Amino acid sequence: MITAFFRTIILYLLIIAGLRLMGKRQIGELEPGDLVVTLIISDLASVPMQDFGIPLVNGVFPIIILLSLSMLVSYFSLKSIRFRSLVCGRPTVIIRDGKILQANMAKTRFTVDELYEELRSQGYSDLSGVKYAILETSGQVSVLPYAHAAPLTPQSVGLEVPEDVTLPVLVNDGHVLMDNLRASGRDLSWLQGQLKKRRLTSPRQVFLMTVDEAGTVVCVTKEEPA
């Protein structure tokens, strides 16, 4: 039992480290090569977890080789456009000037139902507003609308609006995020002042606290356990 525990922990940490090295992407956004590596690694890891007669190194060594190969492929993909196209493929235009390119649809084996599903998910019910639709190498469809069908933005209508987009989450589930606090130009004294205004004694009582560019603070306190 103890052997199984430690073997599982070692393999788990190795796979997590490997996936971190491969980059922060969801399964649906993986390139073909990354997806293949992920599937093979999961299969390799499951064998030494279940069969204690197999030495752990027999599962770890192939995983390390695959991760090294994946990193090597990524390196050459960055250096060579031709190599990247060979390994990852190229984006394919499937709609141009509102017309479906049937040859490209057939080449990529992308059906009309899948196309309309992607269009609907991005707010387009028909082809009249779509100038280009591009099937990316990840399988996602990028839709570029005509100017008249594009969503209105303040810039498109000549309006100037104050910048209120902000990144810093200052407190997350009772934990103070010091990097974000410093990035917002504030310190612990300011944070303590904000807590005191709300009759709070500790950041542990805060579920979420954010601040925007205008200095507006949003504070959500923790709910009492039922």
Side-chain angles (χ1 to χ4, degrees), residues 156-174:
S156 65
V157 295
L159 294 178
E160 292 186 7
V161 295
E163 182 60 60
D164 60 354
V165 177
T166 184
L167 173 65
V169 173
L170 306 182
V171 181
N172 183 347
D173 199 10

PDB file of all heavy atoms in Angstrom, residues 156-174:
ATOM      1  N   SER A 156     -15.236  52.501 -32.130  1.00  0.00           N
ATOM      2  CA  SER A 156     -15.847  52.504 -33.454  1.00  0.00           C
ATOM      3  C   SER A 156     -16.844  53.631 -33.637  1.00  0.00           C
ATOM      4  O   SER A 156     -17.119  54.049 -34.761  1.00  0.00           O
ATOM      5  CB  SER A 156     -16.538  51.156 -33.711  1.00  0.00           C
ATOM      6  OG  SER A 156     -17.620  50.962 -32.817  1.00  0.00           O
ATOM      7  N   VAL A 157     -17.397  54.162 -32.548  1.00  0.00           N
ATOM      8  CA  VAL A 157     -18.349  55.277 -32.653  1.00  0.00           C
ATOM      9  C   VAL A 157     -17.736  56.592 -32.165  1.00  0.00           C
ATOM     10  O   VAL A 157     -18.440  57.582 -31.985  1.00  0.00           O
ATOM     11  CB  VAL A 157     -19.638  54.975 -31.855  1.00  0.00           C
ATOM     12  CG1 VAL A 157     -20.371  53.797 -32.469  1.00  0.00           C
ATOM     13  CG2 VAL A 157     -19.332  54.695 -30.386  1.00  0.00           C
ATOM     14  N   GLY A 158     -16.424  56.579 -31.963  1.00  0.00           N
ATOM     15  CA  GLY A 158     -15.727  57.800 -31.622  1.00  0.00           C
ATOM     16  C   GLY A 158     -15.923  58.295 -30.204  1.00  0.00           C
ATOM     17  O   GLY A 158     -15.792  59.501 -29.946  1.00  0.00           O
ATOM     18  N   LEU A 159     -16.242  57.420 -29.291  1.00  0.00           N
ATOM     19  CA  LEU A 159     -16.431  57.813 -27.898  1.00  0.00           C
ATOM     20  C   LEU A 159     -15.172  57.555 -27.091  1.00  0.00           C
ATOM     21  O   LEU A 159     -14.457  56.580 -27.334  1.00  0.00           O
ATOM     22  CB  LEU A 159     -17.606  57.048 -27.273  1.00  0.00           C
ATOM     23  CG  LEU A 159     -19.001  57.329 -27.835  1.00  0.00           C
ATOM     24  CD1 LEU A 159     -20.022  56.450 -27.129  1.00  0.00           C
ATOM     25  CD2 LEU A 159     -19.365  58.798 -27.657  1.00  0.00           C
ATOM     26  N   GLU A 160     -14.918  58.427 -26.142  1.00  0.00           N
ATOM     27  CA  GLU A 160     -13.827  58.224 -25.212  1.00  0.00           C
ATOM     28  C   GLU A 160     -14.399  57.840 -23.858  1.00  0.00           C
ATOM     29  O   GLU A 160     -15.277  58.520 -23.345  1.00  0.00           O
ATOM     30  CB  GLU A 160     -12.974  59.484 -25.071  1.00  0.00           C
ATOM     31  CG  GLU A 160     -12.200  59.834 -26.326  1.00  0.00           C
ATOM     32  CD  GLU A 160     -11.250  60.998 -26.108  1.00  0.00           C
ATOM     33  OE1 GLU A 160     -11.112  61.423 -24.934  1.00  0.00           O
ATOM     34  OE2 GLU A 160     -10.660  61.472 -27.089  1.00  0.00           O
ATOM     35  N   VAL A 161     -13.929  56.728 -23.329  1.00  0.00           N
ATOM     36  CA  VAL A 161     -14.428  56.255 -22.041  1.00  0.00           C
ATOM     37  C   VAL A 161     -13.241  56.118 -21.099  1.00  0.00           C
ATOM     38  O   VAL A 161     -12.116  55.830 -21.522  1.00  0.00           O
ATOM     39  CB  VAL A 161     -15.155  54.899 -22.177  1.00  0.00           C
ATOM     40  CG1 VAL A 161     -16.410  55.047 -23.012  1.00  0.00           C
ATOM     41  CG2 VAL A 161     -14.239  53.855 -22.795  1.00  0.00           C
ATOM     42  N   PRO A 162     -13.455  56.351 -19.812  1.00  0.00           N
ATOM     43  CA  PRO A 162     -12.355  56.208 -18.855  1.00  0.00           C
ATOM     44  C   PRO A 162     -11.902  54.757 -18.759  1.00  0.00           C
ATOM     45  O   PRO A 162     -12.705  53.824 -18.872  1.00  0.00           O
ATOM     46  CB  PRO A 162     -12.960  56.696 -17.539  1.00  0.00           C
ATOM     47  CG  PRO A 162     -14.438  56.536 -17.712  1.00  0.00           C
ATOM     48  CD  PRO A 162     -14.710  56.778 -19.157  1.00  0.00           C
ATOM     49  N   GLU A 163     -10.620  54.571 -18.551  1.00  0.00           N
ATOM     50  CA  GLU A 163     -10.048  53.234 -18.420  1.00  0.00           C
ATOM     51  C   GLU A 163     -10.367  52.681 -17.037  1.00  0.00           C
ATOM     52  O   GLU A 163      -9.947  53.221 -16.018  1.00  0.00           O
ATOM     53  CB  GLU A 163      -8.526  53.296 -18.605  1.00  0.00           C
ATOM     54  CG  GLU A 163      -7.847  51.953 -18.534  1.00  0.00           C
ATOM     55  CD  GLU A 163      -8.349  50.998 -19.592  1.00  0.00           C
ATOM     56  OE1 GLU A 163      -8.226  51.305 -20.787  1.00  0.00           O
ATOM     57  OE2 GLU A 163      -8.899  49.947 -19.204  1.00  0.00           O
ATOM     58  N   ASP A 164     -11.156  51.605 -16.999  1.00  0.00           N
ATOM     59  CA  ASP A 164     -11.522  51.025 -15.708  1.00  0.00           C
ATOM     60  C   ASP A 164     -11.203  49.537 -15.618  1.00  0.00           C
ATOM     61  O   ASP A 164     -11.611  48.857 -14.691  1.00  0.00           O
ATOM     62  CB  ASP A 164     -13.019  51.235 -15.425  1.00  0.00           C
ATOM     63  CG  ASP A 164     -13.904  50.588 -16.474  1.00  0.00           C
ATOM     64  OD1 ASP A 164     -13.363  50.076 -17.466  1.00  0.00           O
ATOM     65  OD2 ASP A 164     -15.130  50.595 -16.291  1.00  0.00           O
ATOM     66  N   VAL A 165     -10.478  49.047 -16.626  1.00  0.00           N
ATOM     67  CA  VAL A 165     -10.092  47.638 -16.595  1.00  0.00           C
ATOM     68  C   VAL A 165      -8.955  47.465 -15.598  1.00  0.00           C
ATOM     69  O   VAL A 165      -8.019  48.259 -15.565  1.00  0.00           O
ATOM     70  CB  VAL A 165      -9.645  47.160 -17.991  1.00  0.00           C
ATOM     71  CG1 VAL A 165      -9.180  45.715 -17.936  1.00  0.00           C
ATOM     72  CG2 VAL A 165     -10.780  47.307 -18.980  1.00  0.00           C
ATOM     73  N   THR A 166      -9.057  46.445 -14.794  1.00  0.00           N
ATOM     74  CA  THR A 166      -8.035  46.234 -13.785  1.00  0.00           C
ATOM     75  C   THR A 166      -7.711  44.754 -13.663  1.00  0.00           C
ATOM     76  O   THR A 166      -8.554  43.905 -13.955  1.00  0.00           O
ATOM     77  CB  THR A 166      -8.479  46.775 -12.421  1.00  0.00           C
ATOM     78  OG1 THR A 166      -7.417  46.627 -11.488  1.00  0.00           O
ATOM     79  CG2 THR A 166      -9.704  46.047 -11.900  1.00  0.00           C
ATOM     80  N   LEU A 167      -6.505  44.464 -13.240  1.00  0.00           N
ATOM     81  CA  LEU A 167      -6.096  43.086 -13.020  1.00  0.00           C
ATOM     82  C   LEU A 167      -6.113  42.686 -11.555  1.00  0.00           C
ATOM     83  O   LEU A 167      -6.565  41.602 -11.223  1.00  0.00           O
ATOM     84  CB  LEU A 167      -4.691  42.863 -13.594  1.00  0.00           C
ATOM     85  CG  LEU A 167      -4.049  41.516 -13.295  1.00  0.00           C
ATOM     86  CD1 LEU A 167      -4.847  40.397 -13.965  1.00  0.00           C
ATOM     87  CD2 LEU A 167      -2.605  41.490 -13.764  1.00  0.00           C
ATOM     88  N   PRO A 168      -5.613  43.559 -10.631  1.00  0.00           N
ATOM     89  CA  PRO A 168      -5.346  43.068  -9.282  1.00  0.00           C
ATOM     90  C   PRO A 168      -6.552  42.534  -8.524  1.00  0.00           C
ATOM     91  O   PRO A 168      -7.538  43.228  -8.310  1.00  0.00           O
ATOM     92  CB  PRO A 168      -4.766  44.282  -8.560  1.00  0.00           C
ATOM     93  CG  PRO A 168      -4.204  45.131  -9.639  1.00  0.00           C
ATOM     94  CD  PRO A 168      -5.127  44.928 -10.806  1.00  0.00           C
ATOM     95  N   VAL A 169      -6.477  41.291  -8.138  1.00  0.00           N
ATOM     96  CA  VAL A 169      -7.301  40.728  -7.072  1.00  0.00           C
ATOM     97  C   VAL A 169      -6.426  40.794  -5.833  1.00  0.00           C
ATOM     98  O   VAL A 169      -5.381  40.155  -5.767  1.00  0.00           O
ATOM     99  CB  VAL A 169      -7.708  39.271  -7.381  1.00  0.00           C
ATOM    100  CG1 VAL A 169      -8.423  38.663  -6.184  1.00  0.00           C
ATOM    101  CG2 VAL A 169      -8.587  39.214  -8.620  1.00  0.00           C
ATOM    102  N   LEU A 170      -6.815  41.581  -4.864  1.00  0.00           N
ATOM    103  CA  LEU A 170      -5.948  41.843  -3.718  1.00  0.00           C
ATOM    104  C   LEU A 170      -6.042  40.755  -2.654  1.00  0.00           C
ATOM    105  O   LEU A 170      -5.050  40.412  -2.021  1.00  0.00           O
ATOM    106  CB  LEU A 170      -6.287  43.206  -3.109  1.00  0.00           C
ATOM    107  CG  LEU A 170      -6.258  44.391  -4.098  1.00  0.00           C
ATOM    108  CD1 LEU A 170      -6.562  45.682  -3.379  1.00  0.00           C
ATOM    109  CD2 LEU A 170      -4.921  44.470  -4.800  1.00  0.00           C
ATOM    110  N   VAL A 171      -7.266  40.230  -2.459  1.00  0.00           N
ATOM    111  CA  VAL A 171      -7.464  39.174  -1.472  1.00  0.00           C
ATOM    112  C   VAL A 171      -8.263  38.063  -2.129  1.00  0.00           C
ATOM    113  O   VAL A 171      -9.317  38.313  -2.724  1.00  0.00           O
ATOM    114  CB  VAL A 171      -8.199  39.679  -0.216  1.00  0.00           C
ATOM    115  CG1 VAL A 171      -8.368  38.550   0.794  1.00  0.00           C
ATOM    116  CG2 VAL A 171      -7.454  40.850   0.419  1.00  0.00           C
ATOM    117  N   ASN A 172      -7.754  36.863  -2.021  1.00  0.00           N
ATOM    118  CA  ASN A 172      -8.407  35.706  -2.626  1.00  0.00           C
ATOM    119  C   ASN A 172      -8.625  34.649  -1.546  1.00  0.00           C
ATOM    120  O   ASN A 172      -7.665  34.042  -1.072  1.00  0.00           O
ATOM    121  CB  ASN A 172      -7.532  35.147  -3.761  1.00  0.00           C
ATOM    122  CG  ASN A 172      -8.185  33.985  -4.482  1.00  0.00           C
ATOM    123  OD1 ASN A 172      -9.175  33.427  -4.024  1.00  0.00           O
ATOM    124  ND2 ASN A 172      -7.622  33.611  -5.614  1.00  0.00           N
ATOM    125  N   ASP A 173      -9.886  34.469  -1.151  1.00  0.00           N
ATOM    126  CA  ASP A 173     -10.248  33.465  -0.150  1.00  0.00           C
ATOM    127  C   ASP A 173      -9.405  33.596   1.120  1.00  0.00           C
ATOM    128  O   ASP A 173      -8.874  32.610   1.640  1.00  0.00           O
ATOM    129  CB  ASP A 173     -10.108  32.065  -0.738  1.00  0.00           C
ATOM    130  CG  ASP A 173     -10.886  31.025   0.070  1.00  0.00           C
ATOM    131  OD1 ASP A 173     -11.675  31.423   0.953  1.00  0.00           O
ATOM    132  OD2 ASP A 173     -10.697  29.825  -0.186  1.00  0.00           O
ATOM    133  N   GLY A 174      -9.273  34.828   1.608  1.00  0.00           N
ATOM    134  CA  GLY A 174      -8.574  35.074   2.856  1.00  0.00           C
ATOM    135  C   GLY A 174      -7.081  35.260   2.738  1.00  0.00           C
ATOM    136  O   GLY A 174      -6.409  35.554   3.732  1.00  0.00           O
TER     137      GLY A 174
END
